[in-house]
Amino acid sequence: MSEDGNKERNNHPPEEDAGTSTQHPNEQSPPPEQPRQSHTLQVLKGIGLLLLLHLLLFLVPVAFFFISIAQLVYLIPALILLRKNKGIFQGLLIGAGITFLLNAACFGLLLGGNFRL
């Protein structure tokens, strides 16, 4: 057969240049879990950063008794510096909340007389 006969049987559209990036309907897009995992990792980094900042309290051991107030000294500047990174910002806030609740629970035990130093 001639070339014209081959063209009639070939129903596929002509291939596009490699430079264009159009997605065909049968191709799958990347799974949406990628951004979620990286955000979770960023939040965990924020919590870890706050734990490292808590180590600053070893420089002034009396600050452990006032940790809820003392953490504001380093937490507020860290929040201001990292406010654009949403995951780390959220991690710092979560870590601060956990620290506050743990401090409140321990203070309640001391005040209630259930735990003595």
Side-chain angles (χ1 to χ4, degrees):
M1 295 206 138
S2 67
E3 289 183 34
D4 294 330
N6 286 339
K7 286 182 182 177
E8 289 176 11
R9 279 188 247 148
N10 188 1
N11 293 332
H12 299 294
E15 291 187 24
E16 297 177 4
D17 294 336
T20 60
S21 61
T22 58
Q23 217 175 23
H24 296 289
N26 59 357
E27 292 181 14
Q28 294 180 353
S29 61
E33 294 299 317
Q34 289 284 0
R36 184 177 198 102
Q37 289 175 353
S38 65
H39 180 73
T40 304
L41 185 62
Q42 293 293 317
V43 170
L44 291 175
K45 283 181 183 178
I47 293 171
L49 177 63
L50 187 68
L51 289 175
L52 288 175
L53 289 172
H54 282 333
L55 293 177
L56 292 173
L57 296 176
F58 282 109
L59 298 174
V60 185
V62 176
F64 277 111
F65 293 106
F66 307 103
I67 190 169
S68 291
I69 297 169
Q71 80 173 345
L72 293 177
V73 172
Y74 51 85
L75 180 64
I76 290 175
L79 288 173
I80 291 171
L81 289 174
L82 298 169
R83 69 180 176 262
K84 294 189 179 176
N85 191 333
K86 190 175 182 180
I88 292 179
F89 187 82
Q90 288 175 349
L92 287 170
L93 290 176
I94 290 170
I98 291 170
T99 302
F100 175 77
L101 292 174
L102 186 60
N103 184 37
C106 291
F107 182 73
L109 286 174
L110 281 172
L111 195 61
N114 294 334
F115 184 75
R116 295 179 190 256
L117 290 177

